[in-house]
Amino acid sequence: MANIQQVAKHAGVSVATVSRVLNGQNTVSSKTKMKVEEAIKELNYEPSMLGRNLRNSESRIVLILIPTISNPFYLEIIKGIENIAISHNYNILLCETDSDPEKENIYFDLVRKKMADGIISMDPAVNVETLKQLAEKYAIIQCSEYGGGIGIPYVTIDNEEASYRAVKHLLQIGHTKIALMNTDEKFLYARERKMGYERALKEHGIEMNNNYIFYTKDLGFENGQQAMKKILNLKERPTAVFAVSDLLAIGALKEINASGLNVPGDMAVVGFDKIDFSNMTNPTLTTVAQPMYKMGTTAAKMLIEKIQGNKVDSVVLDFELVIRESTAG
């Protein structure tokens, strides 16, 4: 494979001139530029992107932090980020943190060592203090889950309002005994979604029953099954359940079906996210649709703006309550 010196010799110019042409500088005459481009073509020369990026103090790589790759919620967001990144000549590196601070730090070091240009964080368990310190020097955007009041721009939806609408829908179709399937309240989205649940009940004059609130360790399908087992064993069983993620709701559906009960006749179910699987369940799942792909494209555009040194404002996107068979028999 030809090197830059051979290209320079073939074109009858200096290595510095070839470098200027490669870097798009306009200090080279059009005649010389043409000679260099012809030499590159004839010799099949491929410039080292790494070398060029190092000279420009950039890696053209952005990191995406996610807690787990197994949750389908992240797929559409990643697709959105990737499409915008590629269109701006950036590559993405997907970093599964397992919500482990040590793994997180390894990825943060890539930015500190200039091996990546910025971070889009979707990890609800991320160390907010470390992220805050990093954001003073480097480009960081929070996506979906965010720490408010820490000065890092984010893109999200109004979780409290979305949950309020979901629970209000259950109340409007006649349910008064509604269980909440939530996750750890150390996460902001879990606190906000519980607030929406409480607001809807309060508005309808229903006192919140702590026996109807169930916390799961993770957002997995099995966690939804386990929580539903407990709900079904209650002496005074609720007639509806609102789950803060579709995976939990799908696990709940499976358990209700296995127990011989009917959805929505015996128990109505509402999820959150509108992952693809939510339309494949039996019955299909009523859920809050998050604009995942748009979240991804918005986060990527914000990050590129930030990398370029521009000021970026946080964005709150719209959501939609999609009513399907699990609440409307």
Side-chain angles (χ1 to χ4, degrees):
M1 190 186 280
N3 58 35
I4 195 166
Q5 286 82 3
Q6 289 167 316
V7 171
K9 192 177 175 187
H10 194 83
V13 298
S14 68
V15 169
T17 300
V18 176
S19 184
R20 285 188 200 105
V21 172
L22 290 171
N23 288 321
Q25 294 177 18
N26 12 322
T27 50
V28 183
S29 70
S30 51
K31 190 181 173 186
T32 305
K33 188 184 174 196
M34 202 179 288
K35 276 183 357 188
V36 171
E37 284 171 348
E38 278 172 10
I40 288 168
K41 202 174 174 183
E42 283 170 29
L43 296 174
N44 250 347
Y45 172 65
E46 286 186 20
S48 161
M49 290 307 292
L50 179 62
R52 189 193 299 186
N53 291 345
L54 286 171
R55 283 192 298 277
N56 296 339
S57 283
E58 58 182 16
S59 67
R60 308 302 292 184
I61 290 171
V62 295
L63 307 183
I64 304 174
L65 297 192
I66 57 169
T68 172
I69 208 154
S70 63
N71 189 339
F73 167 69
Y74 297 111
L75 299 179
E76 279 298 303
I77 301 180
I78 292 164
K79 211 181 278 182
I81 294 170
E82 185 180 41
N83 285 349
I84 294 297
I86 286 170
S87 71
H88 287 78
N89 299 315
Y90 282 91
N91 293 303
I92 64 163
L93 184 61
L94 202 52
C95 309
E96 187 180 37
T97 65
D98 294 321
S99 300
D100 177 350
E102 279 185 35
K103 276 183 91 170
E104 250 169 39
N105 232 358
I106 292 166
Y107 298 131
F108 289 157
D109 267 346
L110 294 177
V111 175
R112 291 185 189 110
K113 291 170 181 171
K114 297 191 187 253
M115 292 166 78
D117 296 335
I119 295 172
I120 293 174
S121 174
M122 289 193 271
D123 185 1
V126 73
N127 186 320
V128 175
E129 277 311 304
T130 313
L131 207 63
K132 197 175 164 185
Q133 286 165 15
L134 271 177
E136 288 169 14
K137 282 188 179 180
Y138 308 104
I140 295 174
I141 298 295
Q142 299 174 99
C143 182
S144 178
E145 177 68 4
Y146 66 99
I150 60 168
I152 302 175
Y154 56 82
V155 53
T156 188
I157 65 161
D158 186 336
N159 281 290
E160 198 256 0
E161 180 65 21
S163 295
Y164 164 78
R165 295 246 199 105
V167 178
K168 191 176 176 179
H169 164 63
L170 289 169
L171 290 159
Q172 284 170 337
I173 58 174
H175 295 280
T176 54
K177 295 176 182 175
I178 303 166
L180 171 67
M181 203 180 281
N182 204 357
T183 185
D184 198 322
E185 281 186 28
K186 69 182 178 189
F187 304 135
L188 180 64
Y189 75 86
R191 297 195 299 275
E192 289 179 335
R193 291 176 195 180
K194 185 185 176 186
M195 282 159 62
Y197 167 81
E198 285 182 69
R199 175 156 71 96
L201 292 180
K202 196 176 177 184
E203 198 178 85
H204 281 71
I206 298 166
E207 202 174 315
M208 200 172 72
N209 182 346
N210 286 325
N211 294 328
Y212 285 175
I213 298 176
F214 292 81
Y215 294 98
T216 64
K217 191 170 175 286
D218 291 304
L219 290 174
F221 173 82
E222 302 83 2
N223 303 94
Q225 281 182 290
Q226 287 159 11
M228 198 66 225
K229 270 190 180 122
K230 292 175 186 171
I231 291 169
L232 293 175
N233 282 330
L234 287 173
K235 205 172 180 183
E236 200 178 326
R237 199 170 64 203
T239 61
V241 61
F242 167 54
V244 299
S245 97
D246 281 348
L247 285 181
L248 291 177
I250 292 167
L253 278 179
K254 171 92 193 236
E255 197 54 42
I256 297 164
N257 288 336
S259 70
L261 293 173
N262 173 269
V263 178
D266 299 309
M267 180 84 67
V269 180
V270 178
F272 204 110
D273 292 335
K274 196 181 172 247
I275 59 172
D276 284 345
F277 297 136
S278 67
N279 199 27
M280 302 174 196
T281 55
N282 182 24
T284 54
L285 185 65
T286 292
T287 183
V288 172
Q290 293 210 62
M292 277 100 79
Y293 183 80
K294 193 175 180 186
M295 262 184 192
T297 58
T298 306
K301 285 171 188 170
M302 287 165 73
L303 185 68
I304 290 163
E305 283 289 312
K306 199 98 171 99
I307 290 168
Q308 291 167 352
N310 300 322
K311 188 181 180 299
V312 175
D313 293 320
S314 295
V315 176
V316 178
L317 296 173
D318 289 335
F319 62 86
E320 184 192 352
L321 180 65
V322 178
I323 297 167
R324 296 195 185 123
E325 295 164 353
S326 70
T327 60

